Amino acid sequence: MIYADNAATTKMSEAAVNTMFSLMNDCWGNPSSLYSHGQKAKDILEKAREDIASVIGANAREIIFTSGGSEADNQAILSAAAQGVKNNKKHIVSTAFEHHAVLHTLEKLKRYGFEITLLNVHEDGLIVPGELENAIREDTCLVTVMYANNEIGTIQPVHEIGEICRRRNVTFHVDAVQAVGHIPVNVADDNIDMLSASAHKFHGPKGVGFLYVRKGIILSNLIEGGAQERGKRAGTENVPGVAAMATALKEVVNDMDEKAKHIASVRDRIISGLKEIPHSALNGDAFKRLPGNVNFCFEGIEGESLLLLLDDKGICASSGSACTSGSLDPSHVLLAIGRPHDVAHGSLRLSIGEDIKQADADCIVSSVKETVEYLRGFSPIWRDLMSGKKEFIL
Ligand SMILES: *Cc1c(COP(=O)(O)O)cnc(C)c1O
């Protein structure tokens, strides 16, 4: 099997599994308990907090553990909104191609009277900082922009956006779930106020993540209860999960540049191979993208059929995001970068990890080529395109 769906989830690293296993066996005390068995768990939790903070250039006191990226996104946005209500600032700036954890939270706020400006994402899959600055108003309480897109892998100009937000005195949240552990992320360098990350996207366990909250930013609770996480996130801590997340993160950032170089070289081999397919196009900028992301549109086919046939050939890929597969709507990300509905339907995302080999790239390319040709053989849209009844877009 070739696993090329790391943007959906990653395999846990052996070290992370070992950390989790040994803690579940030996260190199952409640970190809030005062006896030593509980305090040992507390020490492990705090050590993980320090390790994670140091990877992103934060202070340990600025890290809140959550159940994952979605919870972190919700808490960050709803906290900024609560401050907005207090200060009579009910406008938020974001982009049209955020993850649904962000977009659906913003839609909820709209129902509570917030105004939301979703910035245009250009054909290259990037937003323009100047346009973001123009969208900021007197009553803007939050700018939330993702670091790297989960479908097309494009990396946003976060540093420039952070500068603008700091200068304009607006809170800046970044969904960095696809970035942390894959590219260098530093909250201090980039003037980031809040940042979401998720362990299962960097070889840690599912159901655990963290929210970075810069000192001075006021956080509201999503979950009320005990005083865990400095009173900002109630519930007995997931000590094995958090410790395994720290293990995984330390491991992935070790020699990250080397690993990224290898992954990107395989990525580029796949991209140049798939480009040979007629009436196809790479989605998103070729350079400002995650090392492991390949996303293509092939005219005249359905992405779902393509990925099911690839599965038969032992390749795990995705069409659009995992959250929308099963629905008939094309990806909101591909629509946001201006792909028409028909074209957006024929999309394929491959997200590769460090275990990928150059030979896997060749296998992927030949399998995709073969399958696209096969599907086009009986596609009515393709027939219309070939007979000139419909015009090619790509
Ligand atoms: C996966 C993902 C999330 C959600 O994270 P979970 O830990 O699965 O809740 C949020 N944002 C982006 C960009 C993601 O890729």
Side-chain angles (χ1 to χ4, degrees):
M1 178 181 91
I2 299 176
Y3 185 74
D5 202 15
N6 286 276
T9 198
T10 57
K11 181 178 192 271
M12 274 181 79
S13 73
E14 216 176 294
V17 170
N18 288 339
T19 296
M20 204 156 169
F21 223 75
S22 69
L23 290 175
M24 286 193 290
N25 275 321
D26 305 329
C27 190
W28 42 265
N30 187 324
S32 298
S33 302
L34 295 178
Y35 40 76
S36 55
H37 185 55
Q39 287 306 298
K40 201 177 131 205
K42 173 94 184 157
D43 291 346
I44 282 164
L45 195 69
E46 295 316 316
K47 176 70 170 63
R49 203 184 305 277
E50 276 166 26
D51 289 345
I52 287 167
S54 78
V55 167
I56 61 160
N59 191 297
R61 291 167 69 86
E62 298 171 315
I63 303 293
I64 300 280
F65 295 127
T66 68
S67 67
S70 300
E71 184 186 330
D73 283 341
N74 274 258
Q75 188 166 15
I77 294 167
L78 294 175
S79 295
Q83 290 309 303
V85 168
K86 256 190 202 159
N87 301 320
N88 208 18
K89 290 181 168 190
K90 295 177 77 174
H91 176 242
I92 296 175
V93 178
S94 187
T95 81
F97 78 161
E98 295 299 306
H99 190 272
H100 283 131
V102 168
L103 286 178
H104 290 168
T105 307
L106 295 176
E107 274 164 33
K108 178 151 84 183
L109 288 171
K110 215 163 155 182
R111 294 196 290 276
Y112 292 137
F114 275 78
E115 263 186 82
I116 313 291
T117 300
L118 294 184
L119 295 170
N120 239 338
V121 185
H122 294 268
E123 203 189 327
D124 57 5
L126 299 165
I127 63 160
V128 174
E131 292 176 11
L132 179 131
E133 175 144 33
N134 288 337
I136 293 176
R137 315 190 312 210
E138 278 299 298
D139 62 343
T140 305
C141 64
L142 173 71
V143 166
T144 172
V145 174
M146 70 201 318
Y147 211 117
N149 185 268
N150 48 302
E151 289 188 39
I152 58 175
T154 48
I155 299 167
Q156 299 305 312
V158 170
H159 186 78
E160 285 93 325
I161 301 169
E163 258 173 17
I164 293 168
C165 292
R166 188 56 56 89
R167 180 155 40 77
R168 300 290 296 269
N169 202 18
V170 177
T171 302
F172 179 32
H173 166 250
V174 178
D175 175 341
V177 174
Q178 292 290 337
V180 170
H182 299 275
I183 53 174
V185 171
N186 187 295
V187 290
D189 290 351
D190 290 342
N191 285 322
I192 294 169
D193 294 316
M194 292 192 274
L195 176 139
S196 311
S198 175
H200 77 100
K201 302 288 175 74
F202 54 76
H203 304 285
K206 290 163 189 54
V208 57
F210 67 88
L211 176 62
Y212 155 79
V213 188
R214 191 173 60 80
K215 186 169 179 274
I217 297 287
I218 298 169
L219 204 63
S220 319
N221 294 47
L222 290 185
I223 298 172
E224 303 290 349
Q228 293 92 351
E229 300 300 290
R230 300 157 60 80
K232 297 302 180 191
R233 205 284 185 179
T236 304
E237 300 89 339
N238 175 5
V239 179
V242 164
M245 166 161 68
T247 300
L249 188 58
K250 279 192 294 183
E251 199 181 12
V252 288
V253 298
N254 184 29
D255 287 332
M256 187 160 65
D257 288 354
E258 283 298 302
K259 291 173 196 159
K261 230 179 253 167
H262 161 68
I263 297 170
S265 79
V266 179
R267 172 199 68 190
D268 293 340
R269 190 172 170 131
I270 297 173
I271 290 176
S272 57
L274 295 184
K275 268 191 179 154
E276 289 170 6
I277 298 177
H279 305 287
S280 70
L282 177 70
N283 293 310
D285 192 271
F287 304 103
K288 289 175 186 157
R289 71 191 301 131
L290 290 170
N293 178 287
V294 177
N295 191 310
F296 262 79
C297 280
F298 305 106
E299 214 165 352
I301 63 156
E302 291 288 337
E304 277 76 12
S305 322
L306 175 58
L307 86 86
L308 291 175
L309 291 172
L310 288 177
D311 182 30
D312 288 343
K313 295 178 194 283
I315 298 170
C316 304
S318 147
S319 173
S321 64
C323 325
T324 47
S325 55
S327 91
L328 284 174
D329 291 334
S331 142
H332 71 287
V333 173
L334 297 177
L335 296 180
I337 63 167
R339 296 289 187 213
H341 271 245
D342 273 5
V343 172
H345 268 301
S347 73
L348 176 72
R349 176 186 73 187
L350 299 157
S351 42
I352 55 176
E354 95 181 79
D355 58 338
I356 198 87
K357 295 176 191 68
Q358 299 289 350
D360 296 334
D362 301 338
C363 172
I364 288 172
V365 169
S366 61
S367 302
V368 173
K369 274 184 176 168
E370 211 176 275
T371 313
V372 168
E373 202 170 310
Y374 169 75
L375 287 169
R376 281 175 172 170
F378 53 83
S379 151
I381 301 173
W382 184 251
R383 204 171 49 225
D384 289 352
L385 288 165
M386 291 306 278
S387 69
K389 236 169 142 182
K390 244 173 99 106
E391 263 181 57
F392 280 109
I393 296 166
L394 301 179

